[in-house]
Structure formats: structure tokens, C-alpha cells
Amino acid sequence: MKRGDVSELAGSVGVGAWTAFTVLAVNAVGGDGGPLWGDRSLLTWSLHHRPTMLSALARGVTATGTGAFPYLLVTLAGVLAGRTARQRLTAAALGLACLAGGQALRYGLMEALHRARPPRVDWATAASGWSFPSGHATTAALTAGLLVIALTLRAPRGGTALRVAVGCWGALVGLTRVYLGVHWFSDVVAGWLFAVGWLGLCLCVTAHWLPAACLAPPAPQERAPQDPGRGGRSHPA
């Protein structure tokens, strides 16, 4: 796809995700901030399906959605996306800026919206702060999206299974927050929508503003023509 087409598509997807996020936010915090459709039933289901091993596995998965791990993955995405040292440094810096900026904006929204978490008695892991949108779901979805973009740039015609695995990890981190009882499902959906909207905006701006040479593959070196019949030797006089 051309850079203009990428910018337009990313912008359109971002606007759609932001619109859906706004509608969900109005419904989630417009009243008393209580559970929405399906929130309570999913929490009730999780309370009755928490064997020790599965709960421990969920806590392990949920831990990958915060801390240094997402930033390490985004740095790896930058290394994968570039083909030269300069391109890798540029891609990693852009990815880290996207993730950090998204984190800051998401935190500001959480503080502004002030939605309470599910009852503490139902928690199966530690949590802090407000509930909407889910920080783990947002971070994991942003990280997964950046990795998928990097893998697509590196291997446009291959790596489908790896991209699907990365996407599943990003979704699974969010679902563990519901399973462990520290978020409503609508918090997690809001985190996914926020991530798609922010990633769409970042990709739109990057595709429109970033010089093509920064991430373009290096031009192949030209070779001096040779005589195919004599291996480059001069013809006899």
C-alpha cells in the first residue's frame, strides 16, 4: 500500500475506535459507574471457575501486560521493523513514544472518569487505581499492535501464525483482568478500543510525516557488468 493509503486507512480505523470508545465511556460512567451489559454475569462466571492452577496461570499472563516487559517487546518490534541500524533506532523510538504516550493519555482518562472497580472481595490478584479503561488491556493491545505492524513490515507475505499468536496474547491479557475480578469486561473492551484508536492515530501521523527513507529497505548495490562468456577478460585484438 502507498503511504497515503496507509495514513488514510489508519486514520479511519482510529476515528471509528475513538467513536466507539466515547460511546462506551458515556454509558460506563454517565450514571453511577456500575456494571454494563454482561459485566456482572462474566464476573459471576469467573468466581465459580477459579481452580488454583488456572488462577496462577492467569496471574502469570496478566503480569506480562505491565512493567518493563511491554517496553522490551516494543523495542524488539523496532529492531524487527528496520533493516539498518538507523532504521531500527528510528522504529524503536517511535514505538516507545507511541506506547508511553498512550500510557500517559490512558492514565489521564482513568483519573478523569473515576469508574470504580468490581467489589474487592471478588479480586484474585492485587490492583490499584481506577477501572476505566483497563491499563493492562490497553498496554498489551498497544504492544501487540506494534509487534504485528513490525512483523508485517518485515515479512509482508509470511508470519501469519506469529501475528495471530501475538494478537491472541494481547487479547488474553485483557481477559485475565476480568477472570481475576479486578476489572469489568467493559473496562477491558474500552482498553482495546483505546489502543486501536491511539495506534491508528500514531500510524496515521507516522505514515504521513515520516520520511520514506527512514523505514524503506536499502537500495541494492549495482555491480559492474561482466562478459558472461569470458568472466570479465578482454577480447583478443
Side-chain angles (χ1 to χ4, degrees):
M1 296 178 67
K2 297 180 180 179
R3 287 162 56 85
D5 295 336
V6 172
S7 180
E8 183 177 352
L9 177 60
S12 298
V13 172
V15 168
W18 282 123
T19 302
F21 175 85
T22 302
V23 172
L24 184 56
V26 168
N27 282 276
V29 302
D32 59 357
L36 298 181
W37 339 278
D39 281 347
R40 194 174 296 280
S41 59
L42 286 171
L43 177 60
T44 301
W45 181 90
S46 72
L47 290 173
H48 293 87
H49 296 82
R50 285 182 184 169
T52 303
M53 289 296 295
L54 194 55
S55 296
L57 178 61
R59 283 189 287 269
V61 172
T62 208
T64 64
T66 189
F69 187 68
Y71 287 90
L72 291 174
L73 288 181
V74 170
T75 303
L76 174 62
V79 173
L80 291 174
R83 296 178 182 275
T84 66
R86 179 183 178 184
Q87 292 170 4
R88 289 169 183 152
L89 182 61
T90 300
L94 288 172
L96 291 171
C98 176
L99 181 57
Q103 292 277 48
L105 180 58
R106 186 266 309 166
Y107 182 79
L109 285 172
M110 289 180 72
E111 290 296 316
L113 296 175
H114 278 196
R115 190 191 194 189
R117 293 178 182 271
R120 187 179 293 269
V121 68
D122 296 331
W123 295 6
T125 190
S128 61
W130 298 102
S131 189
F132 188 98
S134 166
H136 283 68
T138 302
T139 302
L142 272 176
T143 303
L146 290 167
L147 268 171
V148 167
I149 291 172
L151 291 169
T152 302
L153 287 172
R154 189 63 172 177
R157 301 180 183 277
T160 300
L162 185 55
R163 288 195 289 268
V164 170
V166 170
C168 288
W169 165 77
L172 190 59
V173 170
L175 293 176
T176 60
R177 306 304 287 169
V178 181
Y179 180 76
L180 295 171
V182 292
H183 276 290
W184 301 112
F185 181 62
S186 52
D187 297 330
V188 171
V189 174
W192 293 338
L193 290 173
F194 178 94
V196 172
W198 180 249
L199 193 58
L201 175 62
C202 291
L203 187 58
C204 175
V205 171
T206 300
H208 179 76
W209 166 79
L210 189 68
C214 288
L215 291 178
Q221 296 181 352
E222 295 184 358
R223 295 181 179 180
Q226 293 184 351
D227 185 341
R230 295 183 177 270
R233 291 175 294 176
S234 60
H235 291 282

